[in-house]
Amino acid sequence: MSDTAQSILETVRRVIGERDGFVPLHEPEFSGNESAYVADCIETGWVSSVGAYVDRFEQDLAAFTGVGHAVATVNGTAALHVALLLAGVKPGDEVLMPTLTFIATANATSYAGAKPHFIDSEAQTLAVDPVALERHLAATCEIRDGSCQNRETGARIAALIVMHAFGHPAQLDELVALSERWRIPLVEDAAESLGSSYKGKHTGQFGTIAALSFNGNKVMTTGGGGAILTNDPALAKRAKHLTTTARVPHRWNFVHDEIGFNYRLPNLNAALGCAQLERVPEMLARKRLLARRYETAFAPLQGVRFVTEPKSSSSNYWLCTLLLDRRDARLHEEVLETLNDADLMARPVWTLIHRLAMFAHCPRADLACAEDLAARIVNIPSSPNLVGPPGGVR
Ligand SMILES: *Cc1c(COP(=O)(O)O)cnc(C)c1O
C-alpha cells in the first residue's frame, strides 16, 4: 500500500475514533420528535397527501431558509422538474448544468423535454465555474429576441442550473450576474445545501427558483422528499397547483385545469420532516465540528487536501471531501479500496453525466476541470454522530 493511502486511512481513523462495524458516508439520525409526530399521523389517520404537518413543514422550511415560500414534494427530482417548468423550460430548449452533479439534475431536465448542456466546474467550490461559463457563452451563444440561443444548435438556452456540490455554495455573485447579462434564468439545485449560506443568505434564494432534497442520505431526511423554494408568491402558487394534480380547489368537485403532477409530499413524511428540521441546527453544528477536525488532521498530510468551505460562505459540509494532489490522482482507486476495506465508506464523485450513454450526445463546453476533479475526489464518512451523540457538541 502507498504511504498516501495508509496515511489517509490513519487520519480518518484518528478523527472519528475506533468504530465497530461499517461506517457509512452519511447516516440519518432520529433523536427528537420523529416517533411522536409520525405516531400522531397514524393515530389521527392523516397519513397521506393532505394534513397539518405538510403545511407546518412548508412554513418551517421557509422560516429556516429565509426564502419566502416552500412547497413540499415527493422527492428532490420532482421538485427540480417542476422548478424547471416554472422557470420557463420548454421542450426543445437547452439547460446549462455542471457535468459534475447527481443524475437527478439531468433527468429532471429531460422530463421537461429539454436537453442538458454541460459546463465545467472549478476546484475551489467544486461548482459551476463562472469564468469558464462566460467564455463558453461568448464563444457559442448569442442573445436574440431577448433570450440566449446556442448558435451551433439553434436551441434556446432556457435555464442555468447551479448545484452546490456536497453543500459548498457556488460563486453566486458571479453566476447571478452572468445569468442576468445573458438572460438565462438561474435555478439552484440546492438538494445538497440545506443549511449552507452565501454571504449570510441561505442557498436557494439567489435564482428564480430552487429545489431541495430530503432523501435518506441528505443532511436531514423525510424518508423521501423534497421542496421547491421561491421568493415569488405567484410561482409558489403555481408550484403548489402543478404538484397537486392541478386541481381547482372545491369542496367536492374534481376539476383539473391542466396536466399536473401527483408530486405532493405525504403528511407522514412531512411529520418526519418537522421533527428533523427541529434538530437540523444541532446536527449541522456537529457536522461542522467533524469538518474542522478533518481539516486540522489532514493539514500536515502530503498529497491530499481536505476541501473547506469557500470564502464568504458557510457550508453544511454535507459530504466531507478529500482532493488528491494531481500527481497522486493515480492513487485514487487505491485510496477508495483502502478505506472501504477498513469498513470506512469512501466514494468517488458520481460518474460525470456527459460520460453516461444517454447523455453522451448532449452539447457541452470544455469539461477539463470537471474531469480532473472527478479523478481526484474522495468522499469520506460525514455523519453528525461521528462527533458524538445528539447534543454532543463539546
Ligand atoms: C439528492 C439530489 C437531488 C434530488 O434527489 P432525490 O433523491 O430525488 O430527492 C437532486 N440533485 C442533487 C445534486 C442531489 O444530490
Side-chain angles (χ1 to χ4, degrees), residues 96 117 136-143 148-151 157 182:
L96 297 166
H117 180 143
H136 178 65
L137 287 170
T140 60
C141 296
E142 66 191 7
I143 294 170
C148 181
Q149 313 223 343
N150 183 335
R151 273 194 269 112
I157 308 277
W182 284 87

Side-chain angles (χ1 to χ4, degrees), residues 74-78 80 101-105 163 189 191-192 212-215 217-218 224-226 318 350:
V74 281
N75 57 51
T77 311
L80 206 48
T101 183
F102 178 56
I103 191 70
T105 319
M163 198 278 281
D189 182 342
E192 304 179 358
L212 296 175
S213 166
F214 309 114
N215 190 38
N217 63 347
K218 295 290 182 351
W318 171 50
W350 317 277

Side-chain angles (χ1 to χ4, degrees), residues 64-84:
F64 181 81
T65 58
V67 180
H69 308 270
V71 174
T73 60
V74 281
N75 57 51
T77 311
L80 206 48
H81 177 197
V82 171
L84 289 168

